[in-house]
Amino acid sequence: MNLTSTTFLALGLAADAFAVSLTSGLLIQRIKINKALKIALFFGAFQCLMPLIGWGAGINFSNLIADYDHWIAFGLLSFIGGKMIYESCQLESEGKKFNPLDSYTLLVLAIATSIDALAAGLGLSLLKSSIILAASLIGIITFCLSFVGVFIGHKIGDKLNNKIEIMGGLILIFIGSKILFEHLTA
């Protein structure tokens, strides 16, 4: 994958963390830089770590599925993107209050929002892509978007929440389709 595709992949994967950051910003009473940094560090670190884990797992058996790797990457990214779109369209249950600054809560949220990055790392191993560049870019973009998301959420609330997740899902589906198209036309 080239830098443009990797950047779009990172933006798509960061959408969940950005949406959670918006919601977190809405719930934080007195916003300060250190609160936004804490949230952004959790999300950015896990979004960077999970593709490395997925890539490591995938590299061990990529030779067995080399003939199907583009289909698997397409399937994984399309599934994740579709799941993001589906979940963003579901009505959120009422009364879901959480403390977005609690370390345990942040750990659970960071893991939950980075599962798709794990699958993306697996897909990247099948494509023999540079994992260091991809994981770093995914982590940095997630960190930046999460940091900004806390402040945006504090200012405008969660009006954009579902739209951001839908856009992220569509980006992942587009990238999966592009990978499939490139391999089928090569």
Side-chain angles (χ1 to χ4, degrees), residues 20-185:
V20 173
S21 297
L22 286 172
T23 304
S24 298
L26 175 69
L27 297 173
I28 297 172
Q29 296 297 321
R30 293 187 184 114
I31 196 77
K32 292 184 179 180
I33 289 178
N34 64 331
K35 293 177 181 179
L37 277 174
K38 181 177 181 179
I39 291 168
L41 281 171
F42 266 87
F43 289 133
F46 274 87
Q47 287 282 8
C48 180
L49 179 65
M50 294 298 247
L52 293 170
I53 294 170
W55 185 84
I59 204 72
N60 291 324
F61 64 89
S62 64
N63 290 338
L64 300 174
I65 54 175
D67 293 337
Y68 320 106
D69 60 359
H70 51 284
W71 284 102
I72 293 170
F74 167 74
L76 286 172
L77 290 171
S78 295
F79 174 76
I80 294 163
K83 182 175 172 277
M84 285 173 64
I85 293 168
Y86 174 78
E87 288 175 355
S88 71
C89 294
Q90 298 298 306
L91 294 175
E92 292 195 23
S93 58
E94 294 184 26
K96 268 192 173 175
K97 294 287 183 183
F98 68 95
N99 176 4
L101 296 171
D102 175 66
S103 294
Y104 178 76
T105 300
L106 275 174
L107 178 66
V108 171
L109 289 171
I111 291 170
T113 58
S114 64
I115 295 297
D116 52 354
L118 179 80
L122 177 62
L124 290 171
S125 74
L126 301 174
L127 299 173
K128 310 262 189 290
S129 293
S130 168
I131 191 59
I132 300 300
L133 172 66
S136 299
L137 202 54
I138 291 166
I140 290 167
I141 287 175
T142 301
F143 173 85
C144 293
L145 288 177
S146 296
F147 183 78
V148 170
V150 171
F151 290 102
I152 292 172
H154 190 70
K155 290 286 185 196
I156 64 171
D158 62 346
K159 294 176 186 175
L160 296 177
N161 192 0
N162 290 348
K163 291 176 181 74
I164 295 298
E165 286 191 47
I166 290 171
M167 186 169 58
L170 290 172
I171 288 171
L172 292 180
I173 292 169
F174 173 76
I175 291 170
S177 300
K178 182 178 178 288
I179 289 168
L180 181 62
F181 179 75
E182 286 175 353
H183 276 69
L184 292 177
T185 58

